[in-house]
Short mmCIF file of all heavy atoms in Angstrom, two decimals:
data_model
loop_
_atom_site.label_atom_id
_atom_site.label_comp_id
_atom_site.label_asym_id
_atom_site.label_seq_id
_atom_site.Cartn_x
_atom_site.Cartn_y
_atom_site.Cartn_z
N TYR A 27 96.51 260.98 7.54
CA TYR A 27 96.74 260.87 8.99
C TYR A 27 96.51 259.43 9.43
O TYR A 27 97.28 258.87 10.20
CB TYR A 27 95.81 261.83 9.74
CG TYR A 27 96.12 261.96 11.21
CD1 TYR A 27 97.09 262.85 11.64
CD2 TYR A 27 95.45 261.22 12.16
CE1 TYR A 27 97.39 262.99 12.98
CE2 TYR A 27 95.74 261.35 13.51
CZ TYR A 27 96.71 262.24 13.92
OH TYR A 27 97.01 262.37 15.25
N MET A 28 95.45 258.82 8.90
CA MET A 28 95.14 257.45 9.28
C MET A 28 96.18 256.46 8.75
O MET A 28 96.46 255.46 9.38
CB MET A 28 93.74 257.06 8.79
CG MET A 28 92.65 257.75 9.58
SD MET A 28 93.08 257.76 11.35
CE MET A 28 91.53 258.09 12.08
N GLN A 29 96.76 256.77 7.58
CA GLN A 29 97.82 255.91 7.05
C GLN A 29 99.01 255.91 8.00
O GLN A 29 99.68 254.88 8.18
CB GLN A 29 98.29 256.41 5.67
CG GLN A 29 97.37 256.01 4.55
CD GLN A 29 97.79 256.64 3.23
OE1 GLN A 29 98.82 257.28 3.11
NE2 GLN A 29 96.96 256.46 2.22
N MET A 30 99.27 257.05 8.62
CA MET A 30 100.40 257.15 9.55
C MET A 30 100.01 256.62 10.93
O MET A 30 100.83 256.49 11.81
CB MET A 30 100.86 258.60 9.69
CG MET A 30 101.44 259.19 8.42
SD MET A 30 102.13 260.84 8.69
CE MET A 30 100.69 261.89 8.58
N ASN A 31 98.72 256.36 11.10
CA ASN A 31 98.16 256.07 12.42
C ASN A 31 97.33 254.79 12.39
O ASN A 31 96.13 254.83 12.67
CB ASN A 31 97.29 257.29 12.79
CG ASN A 31 96.73 257.20 14.20
OD1 ASN A 31 97.18 256.43 15.01
ND2 ASN A 31 95.74 258.01 14.45
N PRO A 32 97.96 253.67 12.04
CA PRO A 32 97.17 252.43 11.94
C PRO A 32 96.52 252.01 13.25
O PRO A 32 95.52 251.32 13.25
CB PRO A 32 98.19 251.38 11.45
CG PRO A 32 99.53 251.98 11.73
CD PRO A 32 99.37 253.47 11.74
N GLU A 33 97.06 252.48 14.38
CA GLU A 33 96.47 252.11 15.68
C GLU A 33 95.23 252.94 15.99
O GLU A 33 94.54 252.68 16.96
CB GLU A 33 97.48 252.33 16.82
CG GLU A 33 98.83 251.69 16.62
CD GLU A 33 99.81 252.57 15.84
OE1 GLU A 33 99.48 253.70 15.48
OE2 GLU A 33 100.92 252.08 15.59
N GLY A 34 94.99 253.99 15.20
CA GLY A 34 93.82 254.83 15.42
C GLY A 34 93.89 255.67 16.69
O GLY A 34 92.88 255.94 17.32
N LYS A 35 95.09 256.09 17.07
CA LYS A 35 95.24 256.93 18.27
C LYS A 35 94.75 258.36 17.99
O LYS A 35 94.70 258.79 16.86
CB LYS A 35 96.71 256.97 18.69
CG LYS A 35 97.23 255.61 19.10
CD LYS A 35 98.54 255.75 19.85
CE LYS A 35 98.93 254.43 20.48
NZ LYS A 35 100.15 253.88 19.91
N LYS A 36 94.46 259.07 19.09
CA LYS A 36 93.99 260.46 18.97
C LYS A 36 95.10 261.37 18.46
O LYS A 36 94.85 262.35 17.77
CB LYS A 36 93.51 260.98 20.32
CG LYS A 36 92.08 260.62 20.64
CD LYS A 36 91.48 261.70 21.52
CE LYS A 36 90.04 261.52 21.92
NZ LYS A 36 89.16 260.93 20.95
N GLU A 37 96.34 261.06 18.86
CA GLU A 37 97.48 261.87 18.46
C GLU A 37 98.62 260.97 18.02
O GLU A 37 98.74 259.85 18.49
CB GLU A 37 97.96 262.76 19.62
CG GLU A 37 96.93 263.78 20.07
CD GLU A 37 97.52 264.76 21.06
OE1 GLU A 37 97.98 264.31 22.13
OE2 GLU A 37 97.54 265.95 20.77
N LEU A 38 99.45 261.51 17.15
CA LEU A 38 100.62 260.77 16.67
C LEU A 38 101.88 261.37 17.24
O LEU A 38 102.00 262.58 17.34
CB LEU A 38 100.73 260.92 15.14
CG LEU A 38 99.74 260.14 14.30
CD1 LEU A 38 100.00 260.46 12.83
CD2 LEU A 38 99.91 258.66 14.53
N PRO A 39 102.87 260.53 17.58
CA PRO A 39 104.16 261.10 17.97
C PRO A 39 104.83 261.77 16.77
O PRO A 39 104.66 261.33 15.64
CB PRO A 39 104.97 259.88 18.43
CG PRO A 39 104.24 258.69 17.94
CD PRO A 39 102.83 259.09 17.62
N LEU A 40 105.55 262.84 17.04
CA LEU A 40 106.25 263.55 15.97
C LEU A 40 107.14 262.60 15.17
O LEU A 40 107.28 262.73 13.96
CB LEU A 40 107.10 264.68 16.56
CG LEU A 40 106.32 265.94 16.94
CD1 LEU A 40 107.21 266.87 17.74
CD2 LEU A 40 105.80 266.66 15.71
N SER A 41 107.74 261.64 15.87
CA SER A 41 108.64 260.71 15.18
C SER A 41 107.91 259.94 14.07
O SER A 41 108.49 259.60 13.05
CB SER A 41 109.26 259.73 16.18
OG SER A 41 108.23 259.02 16.85
N ARG A 42 106.62 259.68 14.29
CA ARG A 42 105.85 258.95 13.28
C ARG A 42 105.76 259.80 12.00
O ARG A 42 105.84 259.29 10.90
CB ARG A 42 104.45 258.64 13.83
CG ARG A 42 103.55 257.88 12.89
CD ARG A 42 103.96 256.43 12.66
NE ARG A 42 104.00 255.63 13.87
CZ ARG A 42 102.94 255.01 14.40
NH1 ARG A 42 101.77 255.09 13.81
NH2 ARG A 42 103.06 254.31 15.49
N LEU A 43 105.58 261.10 12.18
CA LEU A 43 105.52 261.99 11.01
C LEU A 43 106.88 262.03 10.32
O LEU A 43 106.95 262.04 9.10
CB LEU A 43 105.09 263.40 11.43
CG LEU A 43 103.71 263.51 12.09
CD1 LEU A 43 103.43 264.94 12.49
CD2 LEU A 43 102.61 262.99 11.21
N GLN A 44 107.94 262.04 11.12
CA GLN A 44 109.28 262.07 10.54
C GLN A 44 109.57 260.79 9.76
O GLN A 44 110.31 260.81 8.79
CB GLN A 44 110.34 262.26 11.63
CG GLN A 44 110.40 263.69 12.11
CD GLN A 44 111.35 263.86 13.26
OE1 GLN A 44 111.27 263.17 14.27
NE2 GLN A 44 112.25 264.81 13.13
N ASN A 45 108.96 259.71 10.19
CA ASN A 45 109.19 258.43 9.54
C ASN A 45 108.14 258.13 8.47
O ASN A 45 108.03 256.99 8.02
CB ASN A 45 109.20 257.30 10.59
CG ASN A 45 110.35 257.47 11.57
OD1 ASN A 45 111.40 257.98 11.20
ND2 ASN A 45 110.15 257.07 12.80
N SER A 46 107.39 259.13 8.08
CA SER A 46 106.36 258.97 7.05
C SER A 46 106.57 260.00 5.94
O SER A 46 105.72 260.85 5.71
CB SER A 46 104.97 259.15 7.66
OG SER A 46 104.79 258.30 8.77
N PRO A 47 107.73 259.93 5.25
CA PRO A 47 108.03 260.97 4.27
C PRO A 47 107.00 261.06 3.13
O PRO A 47 106.71 262.15 2.65
CB PRO A 47 109.41 260.58 3.73
CG PRO A 47 109.59 259.15 4.10
CD PRO A 47 108.77 258.92 5.33
N ASN A 48 106.43 259.93 2.75
CA ASN A 48 105.47 259.96 1.64
C ASN A 48 104.19 260.71 2.04
O ASN A 48 103.68 261.53 1.28
CB ASN A 48 105.12 258.54 1.18
CG ASN A 48 106.33 257.85 0.59
OD1 ASN A 48 107.32 258.48 0.22
ND2 ASN A 48 106.27 256.53 0.51
N GLU A 49 103.71 260.42 3.25
CA GLU A 49 102.51 261.11 3.72
C GLU A 49 102.78 262.60 3.92
O GLU A 49 101.95 263.43 3.58
CB GLU A 49 102.00 260.48 5.02
CG GLU A 49 101.34 259.13 4.84
CD GLU A 49 102.31 257.95 4.77
OE1 GLU A 49 103.54 258.15 4.82
OE2 GLU A 49 101.82 256.82 4.68
N MET A 50 103.96 262.91 4.47
CA MET A 50 104.28 264.33 4.70
C MET A 50 104.40 265.07 3.37
O MET A 50 103.93 266.19 3.23
CB MET A 50 105.58 264.47 5.50
CG MET A 50 105.43 264.14 6.98
SD MET A 50 104.14 265.10 7.85
CE MET A 50 104.81 266.76 7.75
N LYS A 51 104.99 264.41 2.39
CA LYS A 51 105.12 265.02 1.06
C LYS A 51 103.71 265.27 0.48
O LYS A 51 103.43 266.33 -0.06
CB LYS A 51 105.92 264.09 0.14
CG LYS A 51 106.18 264.66 -1.24
CD LYS A 51 107.12 263.73 -2.02
CE LYS A 51 107.55 264.34 -3.32
NZ LYS A 51 106.60 264.13 -4.39
N ALA A 52 102.84 264.29 0.65
CA ALA A 52 101.47 264.43 0.14
C ALA A 52 100.75 265.58 0.86
O ALA A 52 100.02 266.35 0.22
CB ALA A 52 100.71 263.12 0.32
N LEU A 53 100.96 265.70 2.17
CA LEU A 53 100.34 266.79 2.92
C LEU A 53 100.88 268.14 2.46
O LEU A 53 100.13 269.10 2.29
CB LEU A 53 100.57 266.61 4.42
CG LEU A 53 99.74 265.52 5.10
CD1 LEU A 53 100.29 265.20 6.47
CD2 LEU A 53 98.28 265.93 5.18
N ASN A 54 102.20 268.21 2.27
CA ASN A 54 102.80 269.46 1.80
C ASN A 54 102.18 269.87 0.46
O ASN A 54 101.86 271.03 0.25
CB ASN A 54 104.32 269.30 1.65
CG ASN A 54 105.04 269.37 2.99
OD1 ASN A 54 104.57 269.97 3.93
ND2 ASN A 54 106.19 268.73 3.07
N GLU A 55 102.02 268.89 -0.43
CA GLU A 55 101.46 269.18 -1.75
C GLU A 55 99.98 269.54 -1.64
O GLU A 55 99.49 270.44 -2.31
CB GLU A 55 101.66 267.99 -2.69
CG GLU A 55 103.12 267.85 -3.11
CD GLU A 55 103.42 266.54 -3.83
OE1 GLU A 55 102.48 265.75 -4.10
OE2 GLU A 55 104.61 266.32 -4.13
N LEU A 56 99.28 268.83 -0.78
CA LEU A 56 97.85 269.06 -0.59
C LEU A 56 97.56 270.50 -0.17
O LEU A 56 96.67 271.15 -0.70
CB LEU A 56 97.32 268.09 0.47
CG LEU A 56 95.84 268.20 0.86
CD1 LEU A 56 94.96 267.80 -0.30
CD2 LEU A 56 95.55 267.33 2.06
N PHE A 57 98.34 270.98 0.80
CA PHE A 57 98.08 272.32 1.34
C PHE A 57 98.94 273.40 0.68
O PHE A 57 98.75 274.57 0.95
CB PHE A 57 98.33 272.33 2.85
CG PHE A 57 97.29 271.56 3.62
CD1 PHE A 57 97.56 270.30 4.10
CD2 PHE A 57 96.04 272.10 3.86
CE1 PHE A 57 96.61 269.58 4.81
CE2 PHE A 57 95.08 271.39 4.56
CZ PHE A 57 95.36 270.13 5.04
N GLY A 58 99.89 272.99 -0.14
CA GLY A 58 100.77 273.97 -0.76
C GLY A 58 101.64 274.68 0.27
O GLY A 58 102.01 275.84 0.12
N VAL A 59 101.94 273.98 1.36
CA VAL A 59 102.77 274.53 2.44
C VAL A 59 103.87 273.51 2.67
O VAL A 59 103.61 272.31 2.67
CB VAL A 59 101.94 274.67 3.74
CG1 VAL A 59 102.83 275.02 4.91
CG2 VAL A 59 100.86 275.71 3.57
N THR A 60 105.09 273.97 2.86
CA THR A 60 106.14 273.00 3.09
C THR A 60 106.50 272.93 4.56
O THR A 60 106.93 273.92 5.14
CB THR A 60 107.40 273.35 2.25
OG1 THR A 60 107.01 273.35 0.88
CG2 THR A 60 108.48 272.32 2.47
N ILE A 61 106.27 271.78 5.13
CA ILE A 61 106.77 271.51 6.47
C ILE A 61 107.81 270.43 6.29
O ILE A 61 107.52 269.33 5.84
CB ILE A 61 105.64 271.09 7.42
CG1 ILE A 61 104.74 272.30 7.67
CG2 ILE A 61 106.22 270.54 8.72
CD1 ILE A 61 103.61 272.09 8.62
N ASP A 62 109.02 270.82 6.57
CA ASP A 62 110.16 269.94 6.32
C ASP A 62 110.50 269.19 7.61
O ASP A 62 110.92 269.80 8.59
CB ASP A 62 111.34 270.80 5.86
CG ASP A 62 112.58 269.97 5.58
OD1 ASP A 62 112.53 268.74 5.76
OD2 ASP A 62 113.60 270.56 5.18
#
Side-chain angles (χ1 to χ4, degrees):
Y27 190 84
M28 288 319 198
Q29 281 174 6
M30 294 186 277
N31 185 16
E33 308 87 2
K35 296 195 169 115
K36 276 210 179 324
E37 296 188 300
L38 286 178
L40 282 169
S41 58
R42 180 71 59 85
L43 299 179
Q44 283 175 307
N45 296 329
S46 306
N48 295 342
E49 287 83 357
M50 285 304 295
K51 183 174 188 276
L53 285 166
N54 283 333
E55 287 169 5
L56 177 67
F57 290 102
V59 171
T60 301
I61 291 182
D62 180 359

